[in-house]
Amino acid sequence: MPDTHRVAAALLDARGRIVWWSRAAEDLLGWTSAQIAGTSARDLLEPEAVGSRPSGSARRLRLRHSSGAVVEADVHLVRSDAAAGGTLVVTAGPDGLVGWDQDTAFARAVLGQDRIAVAELDMDLRVVRTNAAFEAMRPAGHGDDWLRDLPGSGIHGTVRSFMALVAETGAPVIAAEYPFGADRVLSLTCIRISDPLGAPVGIAIAAIEVTERYHAQQRLSTAYRNAFEIGGSLDVVHSARDLVAVLVPALGDLACVDFPDDVLQGRDPPLGYPGAEASAPRRVAVRSADGVWPSGLAQVGEPTAIESESPEVAALVVGGVLVADADLLREIMGHDPRLVARFMPEGMRSALGCPLYHRGRFFGYAAVYRTHDPDPFDDADIKLMQDLCHRAALAIDNAFQFTREHHTAVVLQRSLLPPSATESAAAETAGTYLPAGGSVSVGGDWFDAFPLSSLRIALVVGDVIGHGLQATATMARLRTAVQTLADLDLPPDELLMRLDDLVQRMMTEADESDTLGASCLFALYDPVTRVCQMASAGHPPPAVVLPDGSAEYLAVVPGPTLGVGDNPFEVFTTTLPPGSVLALYTDGLVRRDHDTGDGEAGLLASLSRLVREGEPLDRIGAELIAGHPSHDYPDDDVTLLLARTRAVAEHDMATWEYPADPAAVHEARADVNARLEAWGLDEPAFATELIVSELVTNALRYAGGPIVLRLIRDRVLVCEVSDPSNTQPRLRRALNTEEGGRGLFLIAQLANRWGCRYGARGKTIWTEQALGVEPPPRHSP
């Protein structure tokens, strides 16, 4: 008969009813002695298991558990001499209950150890039993349920909530970290406990204090997060300062960075390590945990080269991370007391040194020292040092590449812009351009001011989408296109429509069409009529300060930006008295990312004040740019074009109108000669008479009347003849046998410039002749 300490046993009477039931039988089938007494043993069998075998034999039967589950067991029937009947012996499985003995031994071992706190709780989360480590961890004045009632929450919620979830679902919780006390951290693991039949009976939870590891991980995590700040400014010295700011306090108490002379001078270092003497390093950044860098150590700006650098020292510079204690560092420096005092802090316990290498180039060296922490640097510290130095070297290399491209783009951009100040009969202008700084490449902002026919002036400001060389190249193409279209004397709206067509063609040719596009404001000012016309393609409206000091933004209706297409542009017309100051700008001037005020209102107020104070235009532009909140490192290009308008005086103009009569040619010559004599312009009189004669004759021959002749005197003498025809005059070389066809050719030889423009009614042919004399006094307000 099997050992009754390891089997479930029951005593049956002569009729097969159970009269005695062992404790092991209760554990196996879930029935208590009181519940099972008087029950027929046959009722515990599944129907297919009913049957009998001779006494002494064993059979695998399927038995009914009190929960309704089925339990397979080897059943032995042993005949008894007692009057009551026989004994039913049940052994759980072919191996009896040996497995349960092993589980018991394992549980006893877990509960008996004193390093991991372990507790068993029932399904109601009440403590059933604990081990000595759990009791030792219990805070003073707390009961058995202190762990369940810990305050705080983690990724699994509160401790109570995840215990209940484990008990309900059986899903374990592994290594969940929770605060414990003031600054301690526990790692909790919780599993569900089931009985032999798989029914849940409680949970087990193990607690390990991981305070030191947690704080170490937090320190490293913080360091890696802060590492993203390294190189954000794209300035090499700032990158060094960012690096030491992470090294202290992440790794030690003191940190420093040295750069070779090539890096400080903005040159790409050569491949490999040139040695201390050739690289001529200097200290560029230091940091101390207490805020005071020791006076005995090398200071910022001082050279840090070691004279007669040994091959062993050079190997350490290029050989990866150097981990050294005080003795090793003294040995590296040859026990030279001067070097020890200059490069080794007092009380140093350990040090880390790492070169800044990228693409085979040596960008510098970083070191961090521990003077208070006695623990040596571990593998995680070394890995962090390598990662930080690699990121710093990458940031420096990126800064070099950005600086080269930025410098190239700025030089190209400035070379494509017009002179900052111009003087003409129409206006005095002053332009200011401030390229984007910091981590932003130069953009495609531009301004332009150029003369047109009949003393008029064109004022342009534009802003190309994007930054870098691509934006600069696009700006150059658009600026050239604007000048070409303006030379055709197109009105502002038609000029922008043709410019829009050009941008659309550029977009079809580009690899990335969404990177093209621009805003543009084109203004045309006529000093004779004092009329200013302008149209906008998605650009901010210009500001104007009138001679009386009043200031406003002109009500220009902006159309779509260039490249959208199929949208007309609206022309805004205003009359400006001489002395008015127009301000055309890009949005970088009025953007206030770090200012709570209204950028456009601030610009208008400052512009009005400076104009009233009588400042020259270049000074006004400089002060407006200097008032930008990000003047040192603007996040976008800042462009400003100022124009102070002028007007041609009445006595410097003369206008005549003639009917379609051949006698008009003679009258025109006589009128022009009389006016030139009154102006004292005897030298150009003969050429002007020929020009007027040819232009009026052609108008009579091909266009009819009325004909309008106008002379304007300034630095040049402008002669205009207008007729009602839209026929385009064409310059050609006449053959020797032809009697005509030489008029425009003659005009082209006598005038410095000539051209044709079209108006609402007919056309105007104009010429300009240089006078070689000082211009008449300007009309001032």
Side-chain angles (χ1 to χ4, degrees):
M1 176 178 176
D3 186 354
T4 56
H5 292 291
R6 302 173 61 186
V7 298
L11 180 62
L12 310 180
D13 62 12
R15 290 181 296 179
R17 292 191 297 265
I18 298 173
V19 296
W20 176 79
W21 189 254
S22 71
R23 178 64 182 271
E26 291 183 6
D27 294 338
L28 179 64
L29 296 181
W31 306 95
T32 65
S33 296
Q35 293 172 328
I36 203 68
T39 303
S40 173
R42 189 176 293 270
D43 292 340
L44 297 179
L45 302 178
E46 287 291 294
E48 66 271 18
V50 176
S52 62
R53 286 194 178 185
S55 175
S57 65
R59 183 179 182 185
R60 174 62 64 87
L61 296 179
R62 292 165 55 84
L63 306 178
R64 293 170 51 203
H65 191 272
S66 62
S67 65
V70 176
V71 179
E72 290 189 356
D74 291 337
V75 179
H76 296 263
L77 292 177
V78 180
R79 181 71 61 184
S80 173
D81 296 334
T87 300
L88 174 64
V89 180
V90 181
T91 301
D95 298 326
L97 298 180
V98 175
W100 284 103
D101 286 347
Q102 291 175 342
D103 293 342
T104 302
F106 175 76
R108 190 162 47 246
V110 170
L111 292 171
Q113 54 82 37
D114 58 0
R115 296 181 62 85
I116 302 176
V118 180
E120 180 185 351
L121 292 79
D122 61 19
M123 294 297 290
D124 294 324
L125 305 185
R126 294 188 297 264
V127 174
V128 175
R129 52 183 170 174
T130 62
N131 68 349
F134 187 89
E135 295 301 322
M137 188 179 288
R138 179 196 302 181
H142 288 72
D144 291 340
D145 297 326
W146 65 270
L147 185 61
R148 181 193 65 190
D149 298 329
L150 274 180
S153 180
I155 60 174
H156 300 284
T158 64
V159 176
R160 180 188 290 269
S161 65
F162 85 64
M163 282 183 173
L165 188 64
V166 172
E168 179 183 355
T169 65
V173 170
I174 309 298
E177 294 182 348
Y178 283 82
F180 174 50
D183 59 351
R184 300 168 66 186
V185 179
L186 292 181
S187 176
L188 304 179
T189 297
C190 184
I191 60 173
R192 189 168 72 178
I193 303 173
S194 302
D195 65 11
L197 299 177
V201 296
I203 62 172
I205 189 164
I208 304 174
E209 184 170 352
V210 293
T211 302
E212 184 176 347
R213 186 191 71 190
Y214 174 81
H215 288 306
Q217 290 176 344
Q218 289 295 106
R219 175 173 56 85
L220 293 178
S221 298
T222 302
Y224 278 110
R225 285 196 301 270
N226 292 338
F228 287 102
E229 302 297 327
I230 298 176
S233 66
L234 287 176
D235 178 86
V236 294
V237 175
H238 285 177
S239 297
R241 294 171 182 168
D242 295 339
L243 176 58
V244 296
V246 178
L247 293 176
V248 177
L251 289 178
D253 310 307
L254 300 168
C256 60
V257 174
D258 302 337
F259 279 168
D261 186 62
D262 283 335
V263 172
L264 294 175
Q265 298 300 324
R267 300 186 297 266
D268 257 339
L271 291 173
Y273 176 60
E277 184 176 359
S279 62
R282 287 185 179 272
R283 186 140 295 175
V284 293
V286 298
R287 190 175 180 87
S288 173
D290 60 9
V292 179
W293 183 253
S295 58
L297 298 179
Q299 303 295 309
V300 172
E302 294 182 356
T304 56
I306 298 178
E307 301 86 350
S308 303
E309 182 181 42
S310 64
E312 292 79 11
V313 173
L316 292 172
V317 174
V318 299
V321 178
L322 167 67
V323 185
D325 56 15
D327 293 336
L328 178 58
L329 200 57
R330 290 190 184 93
E331 182 180 345
I332 291 173
M333 289 183 286
H335 298 280
D336 185 334
R338 185 178 60 85
L339 294 179
V340 170
R342 185 171 174 77
F343 296 107
M344 180 175 165
E346 291 186 10
M348 190 205 84
R349 298 173 180 268
S350 54
L352 275 181
C354 185
L356 308 181
Y357 261 99
H358 187 65
R359 295 189 300 113
R361 288 175 166 81
F362 177 71
F363 289 99
Y365 199 82
V368 61
Y369 306 93
R370 285 181 178 174
T371 58
H372 298 95
D373 189 354
D375 294 334
F377 294 103
D378 56 23
D379 292 341
D381 297 329
I382 296 172
K383 177 66 165 54
L384 175 60
M385 184 72 171
Q386 288 176 317
D387 292 344
L388 294 178
C389 290
H390 174 72
R391 182 172 182 83
L394 177 62
I396 296 170
D397 188 54
N398 288 340
F400 274 17
Q401 295 186 40
F402 172 81
T403 300
R404 287 192 296 270
E405 178 179 335
H406 188 272
H407 178 72
T408 301
V410 169
V411 171
L412 179 59
Q413 183 94 335
R414 292 192 183 279
S415 69
L416 295 172
L417 293 176
S420 58
T422 63
E423 289 275 350
S424 69
E428 167 199 1
T429 68
T432 306
Y433 170 72
L434 178 65
S439 59
V440 184
S441 182
V442 62
D445 291 16
W446 90 92
F447 68 88
D448 209 348
F450 51 90
L452 295 176
S453 62
S454 303
L455 305 183
R456 297 172 304 153
I457 188 171
L459 305 172
V460 192
V461 169
D463 186 356
V464 174
I465 293 176
H467 294 81
L469 294 175
Q470 178 65 41
T472 303
T474 302
M475 178 275 290
R477 296 177 67 180
L478 294 183
R479 178 173 177 249
T480 302
V482 169
Q483 291 186 350
T484 302
L485 294 172
D487 200 46
L488 298 176
D489 280 309
L490 300 176
D493 56 339
E494 186 174 347
L495 183 143
L496 289 183
M497 290 184 66
R498 297 199 184 186
L499 195 63
D500 181 72
D501 292 339
L502 171 64
V503 174
Q504 291 185 66
R505 288 197 298 271
M506 292 168 60
M507 293 173 68
T508 61
E509 299 170 357
D511 295 332
E512 299 179 8
S513 59
D514 57 348
T515 62
L516 287 177
S519 65
C520 182
L521 177 72
F522 180 81
L524 187 63
Y525 175 69
D526 188 343
V528 176
T529 62
R530 304 173 188 178
V531 171
C532 184
Q533 293 181 309
M534 59 187 69
S536 170
H539 205 81
V544 62
V545 180
L546 299 177
D548 61 4
S550 60
E552 63 177 345
Y553 285 101
L554 297 178
V556 181
V557 178
T561 56
L562 299 175
V564 175
D566 299 329
N567 286 281
F569 297 95
E570 185 173 331
V571 176
F572 174 81
T573 303
T574 184
T575 300
L576 298 176
S580 301
V581 175
L582 273 172
L584 288 70
Y585 54 89
T586 55
D587 58 359
L589 180 63
V590 295
R591 185 178 298 159
R592 295 293 191 262
D593 293 341
H594 307 291
D595 187 7
T596 57
D598 186 347
E600 293 184 350
L603 170 63
L604 196 63
S606 299
L607 178 64
S608 177
R609 174 180 57 82
L610 293 170
V611 171
R612 289 196 307 269
E613 292 174 356
E615 296 285 351
L617 292 185
D618 56 350
R619 181 71 60 81
I620 294 175
E623 292 201 24
L624 291 177
I625 295 294
H628 193 277
S630 303
H631 174 262
D632 293 333
Y633 295 98
D635 54 8
D636 195 6
D637 287 9
V638 178
T639 305
L640 173 65
L641 175 62
L642 298 174
R644 180 176 279 117
T645 62
R646 293 169 174 165
V648 177
E650 294 292 336
H651 57 77
D652 290 320
M653 295 183 296
T655 305
W656 302 274
E657 184 174 335
Y658 306 104
D661 186 344
V665 177
H666 174 73
E667 294 179 18
R669 286 199 300 262
D671 292 337
V672 166
N673 284 328
R675 176 59 64 172
L676 294 180
E677 183 178 354
W679 284 342
L681 299 178
D682 299 329
E683 183 176 348
F686 177 73
T688 305
E689 183 180 353
L690 289 178
I691 291 173
V692 169
S693 178
E694 289 293 334
L695 292 179
V696 173
T697 300
N698 287 343
L700 290 172
R701 178 178 299 174
Y702 301 109
I707 299 170
V708 177
L709 170 63
R710 184 169 70 167
L711 291 181
I712 307 172
R713 179 182 64 156
D714 192 72
R715 287 188 176 89
V716 295
L717 179 63
V718 178
C719 178
E720 297 178 344
V721 174
S722 303
D723 61 56
S725 171
N726 288 323
T727 304
Q728 171 70 42
R730 183 169 61 90
L731 177 65
R732 68 185 183 89
R733 184 177 295 276
L735 299 176
N736 293 335
T737 57
E738 292 180 317
E739 296 182 358
R742 297 175 178 82
L744 288 180
F745 180 79
L746 179 62
I747 291 172
Q749 301 303 311
L750 296 174
N752 296 94
R753 295 175 63 219
W754 75 280
C756 177
R757 66 174 182 268
Y758 295 89
R761 298 178 180 177
K763 67 177 179 296
T764 298
I765 301 178
W766 55 269
T767 65
E768 289 183 3
Q769 298 168 261
L771 295 180
V773 296
E774 287 296 322
R778 306 292 183 191
H779 190 284
S780 57

